[in-house]
Amino acid sequence: MEFSSKLLENAVYEMSQLPGIGKRTALRLVLHLLKQPNERTVNLSSALLNLKDSIKFCKNCHNISDVVLCEICANPKRDRTLVCVVEDIRDVMALENTGQYKGLYHVLDGKISPMEGIGPQDLNIHSLVDKAKQGEIKELIFALSSTMEGDTTNFYIYKQLEGLDIKTSTIARGIAVGDELEYADEITLGRSILNRIPFEGSLKAN
Amino acid sequence: MEFSSKLLENAVYEMSQLPGIGKRTALRLVLHLLKQPNERTVNLSSALLNLKDSIKFCKNCHNISDVVLCEICANPKRDRTLVCVVEDIRDVMALENTGQYKGLYHVLDGKISPMEGIGPQDLNIHSLVDKAKQGEIKELIFALSSTMEGDTTNFYIYKQLEGLDIKTSTIARGIAVGDELEYADEITLGRSILNRIPFEGSLKAN
């Protein structure tokens, strides 16, 4: 792509460094900003810079938070003996949206991935094990994605907890509610039949 | 979407104001920036602000340019009697990429669109008519998109040029090179048979 202006080229380059944004999309976004009032660009830039400068993480669950303890951890109504281990804050938001979970979270901020050079020390695993050793947690729910990396991470944490009196569980994998059986992939269908639940249990969930 | 942090919510909101970027994508982009080194965000912000602050347009063709006359207008090898009228600078880049066009451009910066409240006075039409009246231009090529708005704009400019000794043309509409006839839409196929060109002409183009 040949640009008529270095400033434009630079803005498009920086924009195209975002994931899933190619050069063409970047150009479209930049030209859109150019057509908008100045404050649009100023607001976007300052919002990003402010976030990056002042970002804080909850000292208990590592969720992004403006205060020392996030709303969830600070809420006395939440069950402190139940901790759900998730990959990033988007998972917290997704689970909170269901309104079904009343425990706390622990955000790992990624998965163990030798391919990407991410080891256990790069994640918030140490603080999780520390918390577990303090004895308040009764159950740990693994809600990582069911990929090789997710399974590795689950297993690593599981091994770290050995000897502690903590129940561990993973979220149920199975056919999505409303999905047709015939279109489900074989692994999911297989797991859903192996991990079948009592019929009365399925009634309770609704 | 419930956010655990006002700063995060604000950044996601500003990002989601970009066209084609929903709240979920905005969150993904913002979280990506958070994981990157600080300079990534600083570079993006300053590139956008710099562009917005220091943007200049070529005084002849209204293309974005860091100097008074853009590279194309300043190039003595380009044919100054031939001017291609386009909607925005992306069209200039697309046409330049073909390497087939040796004339100059005139960037309107949009199309006449009563629906969006864009009238002729909002576009760079006045300067085009002025240029035309100076007598240097021999042919004006309309390369706007073939929508209602594009056609209206073409016609409006055409009427403004009445009485001037300027040839006008539009870019050829037809079946794209490599496309199958059976999948072409009827209007395009209809136009391509009506506006057929001598066989020798099609050989020359290759």
Side-chain angles (χ1 to χ4, degrees), chain A residues 68-168:
Chain A
V68 182
L69 260 193
C70 76
E71 267 181 44
I72 298 171
C73 289
N75 185 346
K77 289 188 184 151
R78 311 282 303 215
D79 183 354
R80 313 190 76 77
T81 66
L82 196 61
V83 170
C84 180
V85 181
V86 295
E87 226 177 287
D88 68 24
I89 74 142
R90 277 180 293 174
D91 303 323
V92 174
M93 291 168 77
L95 281 163
E96 282 300 287
N97 274 343
T98 67
Q100 300 284 332
Y101 182 64
K102 295 298 170 210
L104 303 184
Y105 295 93
H106 188 91
V107 181
L108 292 179
D109 202 30
K111 293 170 290 194
I112 296 174
S113 170
M115 290 282 284
E116 294 173 40
I118 301 172
Q121 71 287 351
D122 300 317
L123 306 175
N124 300 319
I125 292 181
H126 193 73
S127 59
L128 174 64
V129 177
D130 271 359
K131 262 197 286 186
K133 282 181 182 160
Q134 283 160 26
E136 204 185 6
I137 303 174
K138 289 198 183 127
E139 182 176 350
L140 217 57
I141 307 167
F142 293 118
L144 303 189
S145 53
S146 58
T147 55
M148 175 94 89
E149 288 89 357
D151 290 344
T152 308
T153 313
N154 285 342
F155 191 69
Y156 181 87
I157 297 172
Y158 180 77
K159 291 300 266 183
Q160 299 286 308
L161 300 175
E162 256 179 1
L164 295 175
D165 181 26
I166 290 181
K167 201 175 134 188
T168 49

Side-chain angles (χ1 to χ4, degrees), chain A residues 4 6 36 38 52 64, chain B residues 4 6 36 38 52 64 66:
Chain A
S4 55
K6 276 275 164 222
Q36 300 287 311
N38 244 345
K52 193 78 187 177
I64 293 177
Chain B
S4 56
K6 277 275 163 222
Q36 300 288 310
N38 244 345
K52 193 77 186 180
I64 293 176
D66 296 336

